[in-house]
Amino acid sequence: MDARSLRGLAHPLRMRILDLLALDGADTATGLGRRLGENTGTVSWHLRHLADHGFIEEETGRGTRRERWWRAVRVAHRLDTNDFRDDPDSRGALAVYLHETVHRDFGQVTTYLAEDWSPEWRDAGTLSRWQDLRLTPDQLAALNAELEAVVVRHRAAAGGGAAPDAETARPVMVQLQSFPRRERDER
């Protein structure tokens, strides 16, 4: 992701819109406005902004002239925060993006915990924490790469829902947070 794209995405409402389109599929400004508790005109403006930056596209052949359907573009947008930390023009957008990402992830976890799930789904989920690791930066990067490879392998094995047990499959969120922490005497 470049600086222009980051600035185009780094808005709380745009990030929520993109998340809904990526998770739940295509929708209209009216539908998204209803789901987000926002004015349709405001949502429409943000949809056009996301489209200008290549995050979403109009779903042609669906709807009418007045009802436009939008979908998330299925491309990976990888953000290396190091590319923007020293750029004064992007620092604010990066702060908004990271804040909203953490806020969204926290909200998804708390929603999961508050929902009533059947025992097999409740027992299959996990919130795990390991605090006894001591790693070098290279080791931490390798750990993250291995964990990402596991997720990618499982996504490929699922084949877009074509698995033999697709009737019992559900959308699953995987959130990985791994980062160094300061020792007590460093804080």
Side-chain angles (χ1 to χ4, degrees):
M1 185 180 314
D2 63 14
R4 181 180 177 279
S5 296
L6 175 62
R7 286 190 300 274
L9 179 60
H11 184 280
L13 184 54
R14 282 195 289 272
M15 292 179 68
R16 289 171 45 211
I17 290 169
L18 181 59
D19 204 37
L20 287 178
L21 292 174
L23 292 173
D24 298 330
D27 206 342
T28 63
T30 302
L32 289 164
R34 191 176 320 111
R35 292 168 65 193
L36 294 166
E38 295 286 342
N39 175 293
T40 300
T42 300
V43 171
S44 183
W45 185 86
H46 285 289
L47 284 166
R48 287 190 303 275
H49 203 74
L50 286 166
D52 288 344
H53 290 277
F55 292 103
I56 66 170
E57 63 189 6
E58 186 173 356
E59 195 169 275
T60 56
R62 186 173 182 182
T64 64
R65 283 183 63 187
R66 295 187 48 83
E67 179 188 67
R68 297 172 73 182
W69 284 80
W70 298 92
R71 66 177 170 223
V73 174
R74 300 286 181 198
V75 296
H77 294 280
R78 189 168 210 106
L79 174 71
D80 184 350
T81 59
N82 293 319
D83 293 343
F84 304 102
R85 290 191 190 275
D86 296 328
D87 178 7
D89 293 335
S90 300
R91 197 172 306 140
L94 178 62
V96 169
Y97 178 83
L98 294 174
H99 177 270
E100 291 302 317
T101 297
V102 170
H103 184 72
R104 176 203 62 203
D105 291 353
F106 175 77
Q108 290 169 338
V109 170
T110 56
T111 297
Y112 161 71
L113 293 173
E115 292 172 336
D116 187 26
W117 288 96
S118 65
E120 65 264 14
W121 280 107
R122 187 179 59 241
D123 295 342
T126 185
L127 296 177
S128 300
R129 178 179 163 180
W130 300 272
Q131 69 275 354
D132 56 349
L133 295 169
R134 293 192 68 83
L135 303 173
T136 66
D138 287 344
Q139 290 170 322
L140 179 56
L143 172 66
N144 289 333
E146 286 180 54
L147 292 170
E148 182 180 354
V150 169
V151 172
V152 169
R153 188 177 72 239
H154 281 270
R155 185 179 3 170
D165 54 355
E167 301 82 42
T168 60
R170 289 187 149 289
V172 171
M173 289 284 196
V174 176
Q175 295 181 354
L176 172 63
Q177 298 147 359
S178 65
F179 47 86
R181 68 175 181 80
R182 301 234 183 261
E183 303 265 12
R184 183 184 331 190
D185 58 349
E186 292 180 299
R187 283 184 235 137

